[in-house]
Amino acid sequence: MTPGLFGTGRLNAITDVAGVQVGQVTLVRGENVRTGVTAILPHPGNLFQEKVPGAVFVGNGFGKPAGSTQVNELGTIETPVVLTNTLSVGRAEDAVVGWTLRQPGNEEVRSVNALVGETNDGRLNDIRGRHVTEQDVVRAIESAAHGPVAEGAVGAGTGTVCFDWKGGIGTSSRLLPAAYGGHTVGVLVQANYGGVLTVEGVPVGEELGHVPFAGRTPGSAEPDDGSSADGSCMIVVATDAPLGERNLKRLAARAVFGLARTGSSYTNGSGDYAIAFSTSPGLRPRHGEQAPRPYPLLPNDAMSPLFQAVLEATEEAVYNALFIATTTTGRGATIEALPLDEVRRLFRKYGRHPKG
């Protein structure tokens, strides 16, 4: 399924953006451990010494990401972007700092801004056990590679829930035509949020009875406070377009807006964040450089096609997370996968013919 106007890259993944690598560690142990780590590397070199322009946009701030303040202050990202569960952020941050300090060339480094995002997988995972280790985080970083990206109940999406179905990791990309610059936009999501699922305009959640705010039981006088729609979504956006931090933040905002296409409620308990970076080689400031040099940036008037592309890629990344995730049991709860046969039936009912 490929919603929107633009075509996908070859892999239909964030790794269609040249240089970007993804590594994942999935932790499934016994009856209660359902969690993991997903690491995104903007380029394979020394990120601390050769930073990338970056920005973080906060849709709803009920979340615990680490490192976003410095990114928005300085406009650069200097470590891999790591996603995990809420109570493992501290351990993941420490692991990223340690890994960065050990990289050749960083022997004199005394300050590292690790960028770590999270969602809460405590419905299926023994989150209080804090089972993610430093070794797991390092393994995710060091296993990062170009090429296809595993989706669904893997990595940081192993224990996530989306629209009350099994969520997970999803990714997608869009390739702009040459007339619009020929740039690539890639998106990866850790989908763990709620609302009323809509798939390319088809009211799947409403038709299948996955609707918050509608009473806890049929005919109940007790209102639903919307907690069934709570959750979070971490979005990572990569592009090869030469964008500075200001327009990267605008691009990140459109990624969060793209969740609305899928039916997100953006509830009180949802932490909705987008991290965006550019891989354009001409924009990478060297650590410690002080001499001025020109940075070739796209003008504002060239941004609209990129905004369209990131909306489409975010929407599809969420669908991919849902369509590929499998039914998962953990901590005595079972979260069913989205019933794809029912989705197909609803598309026929509404006269829709999905692309892709």
Side-chain angles (χ1 to χ4, degrees):
M1 179 174 295
T2 310
L5 305 175
F6 297 128
T8 71
R10 183 177 63 87
L11 300 169
N12 195 21
I14 194 171
T15 47
D16 280 317
V17 179
V20 175
Q21 299 173 305
V22 175
Q24 304 194 79
V25 169
T26 300
L27 301 178
V28 176
R29 293 197 292 265
E31 298 180 354
N32 296 323
V33 178
R34 306 288 184 271
T35 193
V37 181
T38 298
I40 302 96
L41 278 63
H43 66 73
N46 187 321
L47 278 160
F48 188 88
Q49 298 295 333
E50 194 175 353
K51 308 176 197 303
V52 294
V56 179
F57 179 80
V58 183
N60 191 63
F62 201 122
K64 292 82 181 167
S68 62
T69 304
Q70 181 175 305
V71 171
N72 281 340
E73 180 70 20
L74 302 183
T76 56
I77 293 172
E78 61 188 31
T79 71
V81 179
V82 168
L83 307 179
T84 188
N85 72 62
T86 305
L87 296 187
S88 295
V89 169
R91 187 163 289 164
E93 183 179 15
D94 187 58
V96 173
V97 168
W99 180 85
T100 301
L101 293 176
R102 290 191 296 272
Q103 299 310 296
N106 294 350
E107 290 80 8
E108 302 301 320
V109 170
R110 293 188 295 175
S111 173
V112 176
N113 186 55
L115 189 53
V116 179
E118 55 78 30
T119 70
N120 194 309
D121 58 14
R123 193 164 166 186
L124 288 169
N125 174 52
D126 172 28
I127 193 169
R128 288 174 57 89
R130 295 185 290 172
H131 298 281
V132 172
T133 67
E134 177 181 356
Q135 291 73 26
D136 295 325
V137 177
V138 170
R139 186 154 54 98
I141 294 171
E142 294 188 342
S143 68
H146 308 293
V149 176
E151 298 174 284
V154 296
T158 302
T160 61
V161 180
C162 192
F163 296 108
D164 217 27
W165 282 290
K166 184 67 189 74
I169 295 295
T171 189
S172 184
S173 67
R174 290 295 183 274
L175 179 61
L176 296 185
Y180 297 117
H183 303 296
T184 302
V185 175
V187 171
L188 182 144
V189 301
Q190 181 189 18
N192 190 52
Y193 65 100
V196 185
L197 176 61
T198 299
V199 180
E200 289 207 50
V202 175
V204 173
E206 186 175 353
E207 285 275 4
L208 300 184
H210 282 228
V211 181
F213 308 109
R216 288 189 172 86
T217 58
S220 171
E222 185 179 12
D224 185 342
D225 62 6
S227 60
S228 60
D230 280 346
S232 298
C233 191
M234 288 298 310
I235 309 169
V236 180
V237 180
T239 183
D240 57 8
L243 305 182
E245 62 270 20
R246 182 178 56 80
N247 272 327
L248 282 169
K249 193 161 190 174
R250 298 176 74 206
L251 192 70
R254 270 63 178 187
V256 172
F257 301 162
L259 298 181
R261 295 182 171 207
T262 70
S264 173
S265 292
Y266 301 104
T267 61
N268 172 69
S270 189
D272 304 305
Y273 297 81
I275 299 165
F277 60 82
S278 171
T279 65
S280 179
L283 301 184
R284 298 177 188 172
R286 293 287 303 176
H287 176 65
E289 75 174 3
Q290 298 182 20
R293 63 183 173 101
Y295 288 96
L297 297 176
L298 281 184
N300 293 335
D301 288 345
M303 290 301 299
S304 291
L306 292 167
F307 291 161
Q308 179 70 29
V310 79
L311 287 166
E312 294 177 7
T314 302
E315 179 183 7
E316 185 180 358
V318 171
Y319 298 155
N320 289 342
L322 285 162
F323 291 174
I324 296 174
T326 53
T327 298
T328 300
T329 297
R331 294 187 63 244
T334 296
I335 303 297
E336 298 290 336
L338 181 68
L340 299 185
D341 287 343
E342 286 294 291
V343 174
R344 296 186 187 97
R345 177 184 65 80
L346 291 173
F347 264 74
R348 292 193 295 270
K349 174 181 176 178
Y350 282 85
R352 297 298 305 277
H353 302 283
K355 296 184 294 179

